[in-house]
C-alpha cells in the first residue's frame, strides 16, 4: 500500500511500484486523485502497469478499468451536504450506501498494454470505450 498526498508523493509512489515489480495497481477513490486523473493514468500507462480505479473519470482519461458507485449515487451524497449546511444534524440523517455500481472498460488502453479483456467482463460493463 502506497500513500500520496502531493505531486511528489505520486511520482515517488510510481517509482516504488516500478522498483517492487508490482504487476497491477488499484487507485482509491479520493478527490485528490480524481483531480489528477490524467497524471495518474499517464504514469500507469508509461510504466505499463494495468490499473483499476473507482471513478469513471479515470477511464475517460485513459485508465484501463473503473468500478465504483454510479454517478447518481454520488450526486445524492451532494444533497446530503446541502441538507447539513441548511441545519440538519448529520446524526439525524439516514446512512446511505450505494446500491448500483458502474463498470467501465477502456479497450484502447487494454490494447496499448497488450491485454485481452475477457468477454464476460465486457458483457458486464456499463460502458466500453473503444
Amino acid at each position: 500500500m502506497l500513500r500520496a498526498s502531493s505531486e511528489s508523493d505520486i511520482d515517488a509512489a510510481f517509482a516504488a511500484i516500478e522498483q517492487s515489480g508490482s504487476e497491477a495497481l488499484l487507485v482509491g477513490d479520493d478527490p485528490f486523485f480524481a483531480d489528477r486523473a490524467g497524471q495518474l493514468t499517464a504514469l500507469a500507462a508509461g510504466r505499463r502497469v494495468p490499473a483499476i480505479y473507482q471513478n469513471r473519470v479515470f477511464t475517460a482519461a485513459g485508465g484501463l478499468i473503473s468500478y465504483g458507485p454510479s454517478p447518481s449515487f454520488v450526486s445524492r451524497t451532494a444533497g446530503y451536504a446541502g441538507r447539513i449546511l441548511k441545519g440538519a444534524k448529520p446524526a439525524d440523517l439516514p446512512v446511505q450506501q450505494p446500491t448500483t455500481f458502474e463498470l467501465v472498460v477502456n479497450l484502447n488502453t487494454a490494447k496499448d498494454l497488450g491485454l485481452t479483456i475477457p468477454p464476460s467482463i465486457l458483457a458486464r460493463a456499463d460502458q466500453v470505450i473503444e
Side-chain angles (χ1 to χ4, degrees), residues 2 27 36 41 116 124:
L2 302 169
V27 176
R36 290 155 183 82
T41 57
T116 301
R124 290 185 175 120

Side-chain angles (χ1 to χ4, degrees), residues 39-87:
Q39 177 188 9
L40 290 166
T41 57
L43 285 166
R47 288 176 169 75
R48 302 192 53 75
V49 176
I52 297 177
Y53 308 90
Q54 295 183 4
N55 186 316
R56 72 178 308 150
V57 70
F58 292 94
T59 46
L64 178 61
I65 294 174
S66 65
Y67 183 73
S70 68
S72 63
F73 175 75
V74 175
S75 64
R76 277 189 291 152
T77 59
Y80 255 46
R83 290 172 66 184
I84 292 168
L85 290 172
K86 291 178 182 174

Side-chain angles (χ1 to χ4, degrees), residues 59 62-65 104-119 121-122 125 127-130:
T59 46
L64 178 61
I65 294 174
V104 181
V105 178
N106 189 323
L107 287 181
N108 296 322
T109 302
K111 181 181 177 186
D112 291 346
L113 292 171
L115 299 174
T116 301
I117 304 297
I121 298 293
L122 295 175
Q127 181 183 2
V128 176
I129 299 170
E130 297 186 68

Side-chain angles (χ1 to χ4, degrees), residues 2-45:
L2 302 169
R3 299 182 190 277
S5 59
S6 70
E7 300 289 332
S8 61
D9 287 348
I10 291 173
D11 293 332
F14 273 92
I17 289 167
E18 194 168 37
Q19 288 175 349
S20 72
S22 295
E23 296 180 6
L25 172 66
L26 172 65
V27 176
D29 192 21
D30 186 283
F32 174 77
F33 296 142
D35 287 345
R36 290 155 183 82
Q39 177 188 9
L40 290 166
T41 57
L43 285 166

